[in-house]
Coordinates of all heavy atoms in Angstrom, one line a residue:
A10 N -49.4 69.2 -15.4 CA -49.9 69.2 -16.7 C -49.6 67.9 -17.4 O -50.5 67.3 -18.1 CB -49.2 70.3 -17.5
V16 N -42.3 53.9 -23.3 CA -42.9 52.7 -23.9 C -42.0 52.3 -25.1 O -41.4 53.1 -25.7 CB -44.3 53.0 -24.4 CG1 -45.2 53.4 -23.2 CG2 -44.4 54.1 -25.5
S65 N -34.1 61.4 -25.3 CA -33.3 62.5 -25.7 C -32.4 62.1 -26.9 O -31.8 61.0 -26.9 CB -32.3 62.8 -24.5 OG -31.3 63.7 -25.0
E78 N -33.3 48.1 -21.5 CA -33.2 46.9 -20.6 C -34.0 47.1 -19.3 O -34.6 46.2 -18.8 CB -31.7 46.6 -20.3 CG -31.0 46.0 -21.6 CD -29.5 45.9 -21.4 OE1 -29.0 46.1 -20.2 OE2 -28.8 45.5 -22.3
L80 N -36.6 49.1 -18.9 CA -38.0 49.0 -19.3 C -38.4 47.6 -19.4 O -39.5 47.2 -18.9 CB -38.2 49.8 -20.6 CG -39.6 49.8 -21.1 CD1 -40.6 50.5 -20.1 CD2 -39.7 50.6 -22.4
G87 N -43.9 53.8 -12.8 CA -45.2 53.8 -13.4 C -46.0 55.0 -13.0 O -45.5 56.0 -12.7
A107 N -54.0 42.2 -19.6 CA -52.8 42.9 -18.9 C -52.2 42.0 -17.8 O -52.9 41.2 -17.2 CB -53.3 44.2 -18.3
D115 N -57.9 45.9 0.1 CA -58.1 47.0 1.0 C -56.7 47.3 1.7 O -56.2 46.4 2.4 CB -59.2 46.8 2.0 CG -60.5 46.7 1.4 OD1 -60.8 47.5 0.4 OD2 -61.4 45.9 1.8

Side-chain angles (χ1 to χ4, degrees):
V16 299
S65 170
E78 289 172 5
L80 179 62
D115 292 323

